[in-house]
Amino acid sequence: RHTMDPHDGVTADPSDPVHQHVLPSLDVVAQARTYLDAPGDQLEEGPVSSQPHIVHKPTLEDQLGLGERMVNKDKLDYKLMELYDAVQDQQAAHTDQGQDITKYAERLDWAAALVDDAIHMRDPKHRMDRASLRIYRAYHSRTARALVLVTVFTIMLLAYFEFPTLYPLPISASACIEGLCLAILAFDGLIQLRVYGSSYIVHENAWVLGRFAVVAANLVDLIWACTHGGSTQRYTRMLRCYYLVDYNDSTHDLCKQVVATFSNMAKFILGLLCYMFIMAIIAIVLFSNTTDQADYMTNLFTTFLSLIELFTTDNFPDIMFPAYRQTRWSALFFIVYLGLGLYLGFNFLIALVYANFKKAAIKEATHNHILRRSALLASFHMIDSDHSGQIDFEEWSELYKKVCPTASDVESRACFESVDKDQSGYIDLEEFFQLCDSFILGVEKRKIYFKPLFKSKLLKRLLHHVVFEVMMNLIILANGILVVHTILSASPVYSYHDQLMYAIYDGLFLGLFILEVGLKNVVWGFASTWWLKVDIILLSLSLLGKIVFQPFVFGGSPLAPLAVVRVGCVFSCLRLLRILTSSKGLRFVTKSAAKLAPTIVQFICIIFVVNYFFASIGTLAFYGKLVRDNPRLEGSDYAEMDFFQFAHFNDWTSSTLTIFHLMVVDDWAATMHAAMLAVASDWACIFFLVHYFTGVIVILNLVVAFIIEAVIVVTSQTDTEDEQDETMQEGLNQVKASIRLLDDMFSHEIEEIEKERTITSLQDQLPLLKDHKIAH
């Protein structure tokens, strides 16, 4: 314990080992202590005026004289927690024994809630009264979050059935669906307001306020559409993207990373545009009025657009050839331009995106780690009822069972003893962190080793051999060739001979695969690895398809519809996916992709949000413009390539397809120039250029940067797991060798002991035998 003047500054000692752990602003602990000191029945609506010591109690920073300097620094020594305990102990009220028991049960409940916050990296600054905790847990339940996610995608996908669309719904139906979605989203925001409090929402979590604003704007837009019979454009449709961004803390972090990366990239993109503008001036100086085309390089704006198209590798020959026909030396200009701009500048841009994304990701990861540590710190002080800085096994066991209800006493004891190295029966704060990291937060995963059904080193070596893996890959590819041959040789009249041959060959392939997977399950244990589970699922689906569709394809009738044959071949194609698990290298790729799947899904959602936003703006700006009867489009490249069928904004389905077409960057310039002609304004190119630099340059390169970083992490984790497996196997081999050595050393002694036991037993039975003999 330490005492100090409340207005003195505090400086952490870097030499102290506990200084290695950092902690954000401790107002979360101050809030927890505030709730702890207040009566439980007065906390339902937060601090009230009838409790002046709650309303006017200074925060931890005020008591320690830290101010904004230390709060913004986001680093506080754990010794500050001891000072805070000293201040709080002076204000602690004495209660009777019955109230102590009740208060400790509340402490335990709050501690479990804080640990749950640490598990999911949620902000622990929520209210701690009983009613708020019940609402908080219901709000973060899987059912509630799934309902909100379904609601978000429902209101976003509703655009496919609203004007303009190919599949219209009655305005009454679409209005009811959208109104229900808006009500659910507004109610979700109100629950956050209830759980976290208005002060926290206003000052630290403005996302909720943004949701209320978007819901209000969508509601006004819905009313306007209903008054016009649903035949008007939805002007706030692009704002629906906000609901997906505001789904949870993970999407918040990802959005912050994207925004931070884009803001850091803005200067470089501006410099790249300046480079293109300068090269456009040089191109006009070199090539204006030198070719047969009267408008070639004669306008600064069109020349600038042409060089941007050239930078995207679109229309390279068409832009260069007029000058190249006059003199071949003109190719040097385009080579220098693309060499510096595309191959050097663009790759430097990718590297810069990666560096900025990594910097933003590290910042968010550090913030989340600090947030997690602060929640665990508050949880530790909740269950440390005597403020000794240590907790015993009973306190830990009760918390562990609260967080993991299915845990047993044996598991709880094993967890506790794994970090209690000195066997004192107590753990301090650092050991508590290690304990939570290992057994609650899932940092260290425990593996389950399956017992093989049949032990055979020869069979195991055969199934592991590279020749066997190559052979099975060739068989899988041969099965794919059989499927292709079946479809190509089939006709609307599928002959009986073709049916018979396909059934025989397909059955042989299926039998080989079942035999292979069966042997692997026998040797390594049934479904003992993830790839064996995948093989079992794929073969089961393929076998099910064969059992269900084979009677239709190969039945009593000599004719079978080709559609049924195609469906049967689809089930056969499921076996081809086994090539992803057939060798160690492919299994590594598949496992890495599976580990990256949750975050990749988040990036897919970001791409979906960006395309949804631009499709909404494109529909508002170019609806009804890119049509065949528009005389301004006659003779354009857009009309000659007949892009009227898909590259337009006349309905929502085509708008999303057009945005994807622009993202692919193939003939995108034809669509851009057509839009400029259709609306009779060169400023229309801004929409397409902003989409290119946002969706293609930044977002797609962000995905590349993330995949590079994630593959590095997954590779290091896989190497660590392999090393752990090798270490485990070496340990098992050493144990087996020790057992064999002990058997050899004590086999003779064991035999002598058994002989002595047998003689002793016979001697004990000898009097009984004599008695039986006398009686006989």
Side-chain angles (χ1 to χ4, degrees), residues 13-75:
D13 183 11
S15 62
D16 195 322
V18 299
H19 183 69
Q20 299 172 1
H21 300 279
V22 293
L23 176 73
S25 172
L26 294 182
D27 50 326
V28 55
V29 186
Q31 180 194 18
R33 289 296 192 187
T34 301
Y35 286 133
L36 188 62
D37 294 339
D41 56 350
Q42 298 181 5
L43 294 173
E44 182 150 352
E45 299 298 332
V48 292
S49 58
S50 61
Q51 297 291 328
H53 72 284
I54 298 178
V55 175
H56 303 289
K57 180 180 289 187
T59 62
L60 173 61
E61 290 77 22
D62 295 333
Q63 292 174 357
L64 299 180
L66 298 177
E68 287 294 323
R69 179 181 62 84
M70 290 298 290
V71 174
N72 294 332
K73 193 176 180 182
D74 267 348
K75 290 186 179 181

Side-chain angles (χ1 to χ4, degrees), residues 619-676:
T619 304
L620 288 174
F622 305 110
Y623 171 71
K625 303 297 182 182
L626 300 175
V627 293
R628 292 183 183 274
D629 57 355
N630 191 337
R632 296 173 179 174
L633 299 180
E634 292 181 2
S636 63
D637 294 338
Y638 181 87
E640 292 178 358
M641 291 185 290
D642 196 19
F643 275 12
F644 295 105
Q645 297 181 359
F646 78 99
H648 58 80
F649 297 92
N650 300 327
D651 60 84
W652 180 256
T653 304
S654 299
S655 297
T656 54
L657 182 60
T658 303
I659 293 298
F660 183 77
H661 149 68
L662 297 177
M663 188 175 65
V664 175
V665 199
D666 183 26
D667 291 328
W668 72 280
T671 306
M672 178 183 69
H673 287 293
M676 293 165 61

Side-chain angles (χ1 to χ4, degrees), residues 559-581:
L559 303 178
L562 184 59
V564 178
V565 178
R566 293 182 185 276
V567 174
C569 290
V570 167
F571 281 91
S572 298
C573 289
L574 292 176
R575 305 174 211 159
L576 305 182
L577 297 176
R578 292 194 58 247
I579 199 169
L580 300 176
T581 63

Side-chain angles (χ1 to χ4, degrees), residues 669-741:
T671 306
M672 178 183 69
H673 287 293
M676 293 165 61
L677 292 173
V679 299
S681 175
D682 292 337
W683 293 105
C685 68
I686 295 178
F687 169 79
F688 298 89
L689 295 180
V690 171
H691 174 267
Y692 174 77
F693 284 103
T694 303
V696 179
I697 296 295
V698 177
I699 301 298
L700 293 185
N701 286 326
L702 266 177
V703 176
V704 173
F706 163 75
I707 291 177
I708 292 174
E709 186 67 21
V711 166
I712 294 174
V713 174
V714 170
T715 304
S716 62
Q717 290 178 352
T718 305
D719 293 340
T720 303
E721 291 176 359
D722 293 340
E723 292 176 0
Q724 291 176 353
D725 290 339
E726 293 177 359
T727 305
M728 177 66 72
Q729 190 62 40
E730 291 178 0
L732 291 175
N733 293 336
Q734 292 177 2
V735 170
K736 291 179 181 179
S738 301
I739 292 174
R740 287 195 297 268
L741 181 61

Side-chain angles (χ1 to χ4, degrees), residues 505-525:
Y505 289 131
D506 189 67
L508 288 176
F509 280 116
L510 183 59
L512 284 174
F513 295 145
I514 292 176
L515 177 62
E516 176 211 359
V517 175
L519 289 176
K520 289 182 177 179
N521 279 277
V522 167
V523 172
W524 281 288

